[in-house]
Amino acid sequence: MTPPSGREVGPARTGHAAGRVRVRWLGRLPYSEAWDLQKAFWEGRTLGRCGDDYLLLLEHPHTYTVGRNGDGSNLLVSDEHLGEFGAEIHYVDRGGDITYHGPGQLVGYPIFAVPKLPNGFDMVGHVRRIEQALIGALADLGVTAWAEAGLTGVWTDAGKIAAIGVRVSRGVSMHGFALNVAPDLAYFGNIVPCGIRDRAVTSLVEVLDRPVSVEEAVAAVVPRVAAAFGHDETEVQLGAFARGAGAEPFAVDTMVTAGVFSGHQESEVPLTINGLLPDEPERPDWMRIKANTSSEGYRELRRLMRAKELNTVCEEAGCPNIYECWARGTGTLMLLGDKCTRACAFCDVQTGRPDGVDLTEPQRAAEAVAAMGLRHAVLTSVNRDDLPDGGAAVFAETIARIRELLPACDVEVLIPDFKGDPAALETVMFAKPAVLNHNTETVLRLQRDVRTAANYGRSLALLARAKWINPACTVKSGLIVGMGETEQEVMSTLADLRAVGVDLVTIGQYLRPTPRHRRVDRYVHPDEFARYAAEGERLGLSHVEAGPLVRSSYHAQESLESALR
């Protein structure tokens, strides 16, 4: 079909050199977390924490958003009834009226520098470039589409296939587009889409009359966006896509089924030869660890932990630095029991149904910290998805008890993601820890293969939110390498962490806890760790503690001191 007249649909003109775009497919993320993640990258772009454009690609659960041009009147059901069909509504700061986001829809948020014109920033040109990118991607997929004069978005002869709504502030854009790949179009029946009453809404699967995956749409959209905006370099990191029936399961799910984390092992222990799994590299000299249980510091700390009936992540996770750290009187207390509600392929903490919360634990933990006379205490916990606040109140109470007994002690907390609950994070942050640590653990591509219930975008949003709640707090994250990532992926992750406001990063070598856990892919050479530290410094991170034996709390006090210099 020939596009209707009214708007030229020739090649978009950028008018500026756009440089590099970093593309991230983040999978499914609740709208509120994605909105804060956009703000974090926008802030990083405007404040100079990152010099690159970002294109965030994702799906949302069922969500309606109302832009600045809408007043909610085009929502055809009451707010109270939205919950009946699993949807929520957000009033946001983009242009346009009401639209729908949901599973099967590719949502794109370009966090792009927008050219400046004599009368302001080129917002109209920005929208036109998005339209042209989508039109080109649809053509690559076999769909004839166009833009229409007076109507923002992308159209086909079956109806509107993509909505666009943007905001430009301080010369950097937010929000973007929603391309209907294979959503449930019935959800559009609850609204007047974009306030246009006389035009239909369609999708790729409806127009092409065949299955189309979001993964297929991403592959078409990314190069077209880079071309439309004149980016001369595209750096792409993709998380996992949904896997259909019959597809190979994620590695960590296979491990869960085999009982690796539960203690109820239903499969044979893999055969090792000289301690190695098949095709696993030999441990190099720089990874040799000498056990020293004879030092007085080690034995005294062990006695103290047993006397106070406390758990340490040093023991539960098989940390290689336990002898060194305990000999120096440093340990990381693990709150909320020793059973985790999640499973991670690199971790030896048992997964299962946790016991109840011990309300005396914060006081006992504080007494142990005081007995050691620590200047820097590290608290962590198992994941407690069974608790309404994920255990946040226990973290806050423990911080308060430590301050009472040892006011000069800095407290560092290594927290789970609390399932993205901002109130739980606020509970911890209002207790004013000196360091808020939340580990990203691995690169975007491996997140789902390694972890059962984690989300890269959620982790980045949590880290950004922590900095917003208390800008004086040092925000920290950690990575484990040697699980199948590439050096470039780690470098890209460092860029992401810096962009959202992280101060400190730790990077250490993965060591397989048992033959049933994920195999070691490679032993990272010390020179590579040195390159990570140098890249972190180049990006503007306050400090990167990188080395074969580094763990989240390794040299925690020294790292904080380095960051505060």
Side-chain angles (χ1 to χ4, degrees), residues 98-319:
I98 192 168
T99 193
Y100 163 77
H101 299 309
Q105 185 186 71
L106 174 59
V107 178
Y109 296 128
I111 317 297
F112 286 4
V114 178
K116 196 171 191 321
L117 301 176
N119 59 345
F121 293 102
D122 187 18
M123 182 183 292
V124 173
H126 179 74
V127 171
R128 299 294 173 259
R129 288 185 279 277
I130 294 175
E131 288 175 339
Q132 294 306 306
L134 294 177
I135 291 167
L138 289 166
D140 294 339
L141 292 167
V143 175
T144 299
W146 56 85
E148 293 192 8
L151 296 175
T152 300
V154 178
W155 304 80
T156 72
D157 56 4
K160 190 173 188 177
I161 198 167
I164 298 173
V166 303
R167 174 177 182 261
V168 176
S169 178
R170 297 192 194 174
V172 177
S173 66
M174 284 179 58
H175 302 287
F177 63 86
L179 174 62
N180 298 330
V181 180
D184 182 351
L185 295 178
Y187 278 84
F188 285 95
N190 297 315
I191 61 174
V192 180
C194 303
I196 304 172
R197 295 183 176 275
D198 59 347
R199 303 293 293 270
V201 174
T202 189
S203 67
L204 268 169
V205 294
E206 189 173 76
V207 173
L208 292 174
D209 193 26
R210 68 168 178 83
V212 184
S213 68
V214 172
E215 183 174 7
E216 189 178 351
V218 168
V221 165
V222 169
R224 287 293 188 167
V225 170
F229 283 85
H231 290 104
D232 51 25
E233 182 183 346
T234 305
E235 184 261 299
V236 182
Q237 303 291 332
L238 305 178
F241 289 91
R243 295 183 177 178
E248 182 178 347
F250 293 106
V252 70
D253 294 335
T254 301
M255 295 168 65
V256 169
T257 301
V260 170
F261 311 103
S262 66
H264 304 295
Q265 299 180 355
E266 300 170 6
S267 63
E268 297 180 1
V269 177
L271 178 66
T272 60
I273 300 176
N274 296 324
L276 302 177
L277 293 171
D279 300 321
E280 197 171 43
E282 291 189 13
R283 184 172 293 195
D285 290 341
W286 65 78
M287 291 303 305
R288 305 294 179 184
I289 304 164
K290 183 178 180 181
N292 178 14
T293 61
S294 62
S295 73
E296 181 59 30
Y298 174 87
R299 287 183 286 140
E300 177 59 30
L301 187 53
R302 192 172 189 277
R303 282 195 297 269
L304 181 61
M305 294 305 171
R306 297 294 80 77
K308 297 294 184 182
E309 298 181 332
L310 296 169
N311 299 303
T312 70
V313 74
C314 321
E315 296 170 289
E316 296 295 334
C319 179

Side-chain angles (χ1 to χ4, degrees), residues 31 61-66 75 77 82 85 87-92 94 98-101 186-191:
Y31 189 86
H62 300 297
T63 305
Y64 296 102
T65 64
V66 181
L75 177 66
V77 296
L82 288 175
F85 43 88
E88 54 186 33
I89 190 165
H90 294 273
Y91 293 82
V92 299
R94 60 162 173 80
I98 192 168
T99 193
Y100 163 77
H101 299 309
Y187 278 84
F188 285 95
N190 297 315
I191 61 174

